Amino acid sequence: MRTSQPQTIYLSDYKVPAYLVDTVDLRFELFEDGARVHSTLEVRRNPESGEVSAPLELDGDSLTLESVTLDGAELAEGDYEDRGDQLVVRSVPEQFSLTVVTWIEPQNNTRLEGLYKSSGMFCTQCEAEGFRCITFFPDRPDVMARFRTRIEANRDAYPVLLSNGNDVEKGELENGRHFVTWEDPFPKPCYLFALVAGDLVEKRDTFSTCSGRDIDLRMYVEPRNAEKCDHAMDSLKRSMRWDEEVYGREYDLDIFMIVAVDDFNMGAMENKGLNIFNSSCVLASQETATDMAFQRIEAIVAHEYFHNWSGNRVTCRDWFQLSLKEGFTVFRDSQFSADMGSPTVKRIEDVTLLRTAQFAEDGGPMAHPVRPASYMEISNFYTLTIYEKGAEVVRMIHTLLGPDMFRKGSDLYFERHDGQAVTTDDFVKAMEDASGRDLGQFRLWYEQAGTPVLNVSDDYDAGKGVYRLTIEQSIPDTPGQTNKKPQHIPFALGLLGKDGQPLALQLESGYSGAPMERVLELTEAVHTFEFHGVESRPVPSLLRHFSAPVRVRYNWTREQLLFLMSHDPDGFNRWDAGQRLAVDVIQSLVGAPDDTEIEPRLVEAYRKLISDADLDQALVAKMLQLPSEAYLIELSENADVPAIHRARDAVLRHLAGALKGELLACYQRHQGSGPYEITPEAIARRSLRNTALAWLLLINDEDGRTLAVSQLNDADNMTDRMGALRALVNSGFEADRQQALDDFYDRFQDDPQVVEQWFSVQAASDQAGQLSDIRKLLEHPAFDWKNPNKIRSVVGAFAGQNLAAFHNPDGSGYEFLADQVCRLDDSNPQIAARLVTPLTRWRKFAFAYSAQMKSALERIRDKSGLSRDVYEVVHKSLAE
């Protein structure tokens, strides 16, 4: 097992590998009590390495070594050293064949890294460093080899045997066993290796590429899930077509496979030709999955498929370059989702996650650049900074270059580096070379941590008709980084006249034909821009489309925000104005007396929204969602969570009470008719109806209660059924709440993914998810400590969403989370490390809370045998 005293690994220490592996020949003998792995490597010294006499060092973890053979001769124990985490052969020739035989126990692998068993089937997860849990190997992404894999197992128990590439041989063996051999023609790092063996149902389809090749599409699931594959298969075909049309990328193998696995630490994994998915990210039907789940599945299927080029054909040289593949691919899947649905709504969803969670990460103890300079445990760096901020960095390049030049740059990148392990600098260089743009300063986005702050001020010279906008940028200090340099920031904006119409943005006097929107390029600490020909003081529409991942500070008045809510032609900024107005109103009530008046214009703004049938209803649905408690906490200093909860709750109840008639009308107006559809219009309709229902139940409205009970019983889809259940669970109708939960569980108890939703809706509710309720959920027969989804749906939902209960002033929520982290640290350190996150921001809260959060962290820190996953997070969180 990994040690509890991890060593820090630095980007500056990178060296090319001393040895390269050209081919890997694997043979797996799978048994119920373990697996024997025969690994034959064709190895040669790396001509680019200066370490001409270096010993061969192979990484390993939790392996029982049985034999080592060099060029056909078995080595004696004195010829090699088994250090547990390394196999060292001190004397090897320039080029040689090495065969290593290891014994592993997948059935006892609770870490879910390497080869393990899930629901009776064998499966793998090798990113980032899981392959070393299978056999000894130079486990680093810049060692790329061609893999041939033979899998042997009992035919009755494991009729399906899968690995990367194309199946080239199969046959029968003695004692009821059989084998299949797979060959991957493309070199890949070992983190992309995959194996699955189980009793699975195969669903097939085909896809014809732009060049006329027919690709065999296969999806493998447990028999009970056979009817939940259609949406994922359709999403895959849409992804393949989109990648051809938008990026010119055609699939390269003859077969593309997806396997659904119940026990999985991540969402999905892009293993070459054999994607392994968390079941929750691939299985869907109208009866069991919500609209959000359908959209999430489409995005994740696309993400993993897009990795075939941005991650597999061109991979990262080292794990510091992780965003090279993840940030670029998140940007690509975001583009895809925007094209498949509502671009404005997709942008709102992306930015909501970024501003709530990634900005919090940037401001916390684990803050790191998009390309980190160091790490202790790489699993801790699968972060929102790597993924979401990394995607925003790519989006900014797209904004600065324009779509045509960006496409030219991506084509050059894939052509230049196909089959290579490269760096973020290589990606930016391809964009520079294709466009002729100098992105030297822009590279700071990869090097500097933290969220830039843009302080914006303005003045208007009525006599000259000149409007001046001054933008000053700064980047807060983060652990290990101070005195940061100004970054290259694309800043999109527009100006609106008093009639609500866009104004021409003339940067020079007398110039005509100016655009109504501009992207200003900020490169200095302070910029002042003058707009000429402005007849009256305008209202600025700043950072349109959220053109950069920054915080904008400008002294908007409530009148200006109301004006932008009604008139801004940029849908994102219209939503953002509503969010800023709601934040201002809620913050004014935090700690205020209960009888404090709530801004009356807020009611009128929301009344107008609910009643506006001409406005994009998908946008209306988003605008009716108040800023979350998590976002309000992120905007606060010395946050008092119960006070924030009370203020937000007061505004919600005030709006619901004042708009009861409009909410009932909205509910009736958006009643569904016809068959269930996953279209932007249908999704918006269901979202609006369920938002109206939730608001009515907040004020314990009897009409709303009747509607909710009826909807729960009669719904023909999970979105409406879950919308009604959530509304009842969060209401004051206690008897209805319990009856609804009992009936729902009785109906869906045999479906693990739906049960996870049932757990989550309770754990996230301040009505049904007090700590005593959470403890009962952990004792429920359907809860499973070995299943990460179950853990996330209860412990994760409680600590991450049920904030008022988690931040109980008595500190019980913090102690509870510390208990669960310590328990999980012994079985699944990756999940334990991710669960710690809510405690790591302890400095953000008022002293009464922060002191208890710190104490809980210290208790975790002092646990005996702490994993290096949790060690890094906790020690960085407690560092001065």
Side-chain angles (χ1 to χ4, degrees):
M1 289 290 290
R2 298 177 174 186
T3 65
S4 59
Q5 296 296 323
Q7 300 298 309
T8 300
I9 300 168
Y10 296 95
L11 172 59
S12 59
D13 291 338
Y14 172 82
K15 295 179 181 179
V16 299
Y19 292 89
L20 299 177
V21 180
D22 292 318
T23 63
V24 182
D25 197 315
L26 296 170
R27 177 178 160 225
F28 286 84
E29 297 180 88
L30 304 180
F31 305 101
E32 294 307 310
D33 62 343
R36 181 167 288 108
V37 184
H38 307 254
S39 169
T40 299
L41 314 179
E42 297 300 325
V43 188
R44 58 187 168 91
R45 289 191 185 273
N46 185 356
E48 297 182 10
S49 172
E51 301 182 38
V52 294
S53 59
L56 177 68
E57 296 178 344
L58 305 179
D59 301 302
D61 189 348
S62 307
L63 305 173
T64 299
L65 180 62
E66 293 190 347
S67 67
V68 182
T69 303
L70 179 66
D71 286 336
E74 185 169 345
L75 300 183
E77 289 190 12
D79 297 328
Y80 63 86
E81 182 182 0
D82 179 3
R83 299 175 179 171
D85 63 349
Q86 265 193 340
L87 173 64
V88 180
V89 185
R90 298 204 172 277
S91 180
V92 294
E94 290 289 312
Q95 189 166 340
F96 55 94
S97 176
L98 185 79
T99 298
V100 178
V101 181
T102 54
W103 176 262
I104 54 178
E105 297 182 351
Q107 73 279 7
N108 297 324
N109 182 354
T110 62
R111 290 160 53 190
L112 312 186
E113 293 180 273
L115 179 66
Y116 64 95
K117 294 192 80 170
S118 169
S119 302
M121 67 171 151
F122 290 92
C123 58
T124 56
Q125 171 55 34
C126 293
E127 187 177 356
E129 296 178 340
F131 193 75
R132 66 187 61 188
C133 302
I134 295 173
T135 185
F136 287 102
F137 195 82
D139 191 356
R140 47 188 291 170
D142 55 354
V143 175
M144 301 176 71
R146 289 180 174 85
F147 280 68
R148 181 182 176 93
T149 305
R150 173 176 163 131
I151 311 167
E152 303 174 4
N154 180 278
R155 172 176 282 283
D156 291 339
Y158 309 101
V160 175
L161 306 177
L162 308 174
S163 192
N164 311 84
N166 301 313
D167 49 343
V168 295
E169 187 182 10
K170 61 183 66 176
E172 301 298 322
L173 299 171
E174 295 179 352
N175 302 318
R177 294 170 67 79
H178 70 133
F179 77 93
V180 179
T181 300
W182 294 82
E183 195 168 83
D184 188 348
F186 297 101
K188 65 172 179 284
C190 64
Y191 82 83
L192 290 172
F193 172 79
L195 178 152
V196 171
D199 185 4
L200 302 169
V201 172
E202 179 185 78
K203 307 290 282 188
R204 284 202 176 201
D205 207 329
T206 59
F207 177 82
S208 295
T209 70
C210 55
S211 67
R213 294 171 50 242
D214 287 333
I215 309 300
D216 185 7
L217 307 180
R218 305 178 188 176
M219 192 166 295
Y220 295 90
V221 299
E222 294 179 61
R224 61 183 169 80
N225 294 320
E227 304 307 313
K228 297 182 183 180
C229 301
D230 291 347
H231 178 66
M233 188 68 83
D234 290 342
S235 299
L236 174 60
K237 291 189 287 185
R238 285 192 293 272
S239 306
M240 298 176 81
R241 183 65 66 210
W242 184 91
D243 209 19
E244 290 181 342
E245 294 173 351
V246 178
Y247 280 89
R249 299 297 106 193
E250 182 176 326
Y251 186 61
D252 49 6
L253 290 170
D254 299 327
I255 305 171
F256 186 88
M257 299 174 284
I258 290 176
V259 180
V261 176
D262 280 349
D263 304 314
F264 205 66
N265 282 341
M266 300 184 180
M269 181 59 210
E270 72 270 15
N271 316 297
K272 183 71 178 180
L274 177 56
N275 286 189
I276 299 179
F277 274 65
N278 188 313
S279 296
S280 67
C281 299
V282 71
L283 301 174
S285 70
Q286 173 180 337
E287 294 78 18
T288 63
T290 63
D291 292 344
M292 186 179 297
F294 272 99
Q295 291 176 307
R296 179 170 176 252
I297 287 167
E298 181 179 62
I300 293 175
V301 168
H303 179 95
E304 305 308 331
Y305 174 75
F306 296 154
H307 264 314
N308 187 62
W309 279 91
S310 51
N312 295 3
R313 287 288 288 261
V314 184
T315 195
C316 46
R317 184 194 72 178
D318 53 71
W319 291 121
F320 299 98
Q321 319 295 331
L322 181 57
S323 193
L324 175 82
K325 72 183 186 76
E326 296 300 348
F328 186 20
T329 305
V330 169
F331 171 68
R332 276 156 46 77
D333 82 53
S334 180
Q335 283 183 299
F336 168 77
S337 294
D339 286 349
M340 295 300 108
S342 166
T344 299
V345 167
K346 176 58 179 170
R347 193 69 187 126
I348 289 169
E349 291 170 349
D350 289 348
V351 173
T352 298
L353 175 62
L354 193 83
R355 293 203 300 204
T356 302
Q358 194 281 319
F359 281 12
E361 193 169 272
D362 259 353
M366 291 294 288
H368 60 273
V370 173
R371 184 182 63 203
S374 66
Y375 63 79
M376 292 181 186
E377 169 51 59
I378 184 56
S379 296
N380 290 332
F381 282 80
Y382 283 74
T383 61
L384 291 166
T385 298
I386 297 295
Y387 282 71
E388 307 304 327
K389 188 174 181 178
E392 293 297 314
V393 171
V394 176
R395 181 181 294 276
M396 287 188 288
I397 295 176
H398 187 277
T399 298
L400 291 169
L401 270 55
D404 293 340
M405 280 299 174
F406 185 86
R407 167 62 191 272
K408 187 178 177 182
S410 69
D411 284 349
L412 178 61
Y413 169 70
F414 290 128
E415 177 187 350
R416 179 181 285 175
H417 298 296
D418 189 11
Q420 297 178 15
V422 299
T423 68
T424 55
D425 282 332
D426 293 316
F427 177 79
V428 177
K429 185 68 166 58
M431 293 294 169
E432 284 182 320
D433 291 350
S435 66
R437 287 293 306 266
D438 180 0
L439 297 175
Q441 182 183 5
F442 187 84
R443 284 177 169 82
L444 290 172
W445 278 103
Y446 287 99
E447 300 168 11
Q448 296 185 158
T451 304
V453 176
L454 302 184
N455 286 298
V456 181
S457 59
D458 59 355
D459 65 82
Y460 175 64
D461 188 328
K464 295 181 178 179
V466 174
Y467 175 74
R468 294 183 185 86
L469 199 67
T470 298
I471 307 174
E472 180 178 356
Q473 67 162 294
S474 61
I475 309 175
D477 292 345
T478 50
Q481 288 191 340
T482 58
N483 302 318
K484 297 172 188 176
K485 300 175 183 178
Q487 295 186 168
H488 188 174
I489 302 173
F491 187 87
L493 86 158
L495 299 176
L496 301 183
K498 59 184 178 182
D499 58 355
Q501 294 302 305
L503 302 179
L505 304 180
Q506 297 178 211
L507 290 173
E508 298 178 16
S509 179
Y511 177 79
S512 60
M516 301 296 182
E517 178 177 295
R518 280 186 181 273
V519 177
L520 306 175
E521 295 192 26
L522 311 180
T523 55
E524 305 293 335
V526 182
H527 283 274
T528 297
F529 301 93
E530 290 190 353
F531 299 96
H532 297 261
V534 182
E535 296 182 356
S536 61
R537 187 179 187 94
V539 176
S541 173
L542 305 177
L543 200 71
R544 281 187 169 173
H545 331 297
F546 204 71
S547 58
V550 300
R551 299 180 190 270
V552 172
R553 292 179 179 166
Y554 173 78
N555 191 27
W556 275 289
T557 64
R558 289 184 178 180
E559 289 78 10
Q560 287 177 314
L561 294 173
L562 287 161
F563 182 84
L564 291 171
M565 279 182 72
S566 298
H567 299 291
D568 201 321
D570 179 52
F572 175 84
N573 270 19
R574 183 177 282 208
W575 166 83
D576 189 46
Q579 292 288 291
R580 291 181 184 275
L581 178 62
V583 166
D584 189 39
V585 171
I586 293 169
Q587 286 181 334
S588 71
L589 298 174
V590 175
D594 291 342
D595 59 355
T596 302
E597 182 185 23
I598 296 175
E599 169 64 71
R601 290 173 296 183
L602 194 65
V603 169
E604 295 311 310
Y606 278 82
R607 177 176 283 120
K608 183 177 180 181
L609 272 177
I610 294 173
S611 306
D612 190 346
D614 296 327
L615 192 60
D616 177 3
Q617 296 299 283
L619 177 59
V620 172
K622 288 297 179 186
M623 293 185 73
L624 287 178
Q625 296 174 9
L626 287 188
S628 68
E629 288 179 25
Y631 184 52
L632 292 163
I633 290 169
E634 171 54 23
L635 294 174
S636 304
E637 296 297 333
N638 299 316
D640 182 340
V641 179
I644 290 171
H645 174 77
R646 286 193 297 271
R648 183 180 183 276
D649 192 59
V651 171
L652 260 177
R653 293 176 187 277
H654 176 74
L655 288 171
L659 299 172
K660 176 183 172 181
E662 287 81 359
L663 291 170
L664 287 168
C666 176
Y667 184 91
Q668 299 297 342
R669 187 168 67 249
H670 291 98
Q671 285 280 42
S673 59
Y676 176 81
E677 294 179 315
I678 298 292
T679 62
E681 297 77 18
I683 291 171
R685 185 178 67 244
R686 286 188 288 270
S687 179
L688 281 167
R689 185 170 68 248
N690 286 315
T691 297
L693 187 64
W695 284 25
L696 289 168
L697 270 290
L698 275 176
I699 56 173
N700 297 328
D701 179 74
E702 282 293 338
D703 291 331
R705 171 186 169 278
T706 301
L707 291 172
V709 172
S710 176
Q711 179 174 309
L712 183 65
N713 293 330
D714 300 338
D716 68 349
N717 64 86
M718 182 54 73
T719 302
D720 285 338
R721 184 170 285 112
M722 184 56 69
L725 179 66
R726 183 173 287 108
L728 286 165
V729 166
N730 288 316
S731 76
F733 298 115
E734 189 171 348
D736 292 298
R737 175 198 314 152
Q738 195 55 55
Q739 186 65 51
L741 286 169
D742 291 344
D743 292 347
F744 188 95
Y745 182 76
D746 287 343
R747 180 170 184 163
F748 294 105
Q749 60 183 301
D750 295 326
D751 190 307
Q753 283 74 54
V754 180
V755 170
E756 287 155 17
Q757 297 178 59
W758 180 79
F759 276 136
S760 184
V761 76
Q762 296 173 78
S765 168
D766 65 336
Q767 293 286 343
Q770 294 302 307
L771 191 53
S772 58
D773 303 307
I774 303 301
R775 294 188 187 281
K776 290 177 183 177
L777 291 178
L778 295 183
E779 296 171 358
H780 194 278
F783 185 81
D784 181 1
W785 280 105
K786 295 180 181 179
N787 182 275
N789 289 350
K790 298 293 191 298
I791 296 165
R792 284 185 282 253
S793 67
V794 178
V795 182
F798 170 69
Q801 299 177 51
N802 192 355
L803 299 183
F806 175 62
H807 291 281
N808 191 306
D810 65 7
S812 56
Y814 311 144
E815 289 302 308
F816 168 80
L817 183 58
D819 289 341
Q820 313 322 313
V821 169
C822 289
R823 172 175 182 160
L824 285 163
D825 185 59
D826 293 327
S827 57
N828 192 329
Q830 277 192 30
I831 297 302
R834 290 168 193 165
L835 285 177
V836 175
T837 300
L839 293 173
T840 65
R841 298 299 311 283
W842 60 274
R843 290 180 175 87
K844 185 78 177 174
F845 297 86
F847 178 76
Y849 303 95
S850 65
Q852 296 181 91
M853 295 172 79
K854 182 181 179 184
S855 176
L857 277 171
E858 289 170 338
R859 187 158 67 83
I860 298 171
R861 177 199 63 193
D862 295 338
K863 171 186 173 289
S864 176
L866 194 65
S867 72
R868 75 185 194 196
D869 306 65
V870 177
Y871 178 99
E872 178 176 25
V873 176
V874 171
H875 278 258
K876 286 185 175 179
S877 300
L878 291 171
E880 293 298 330

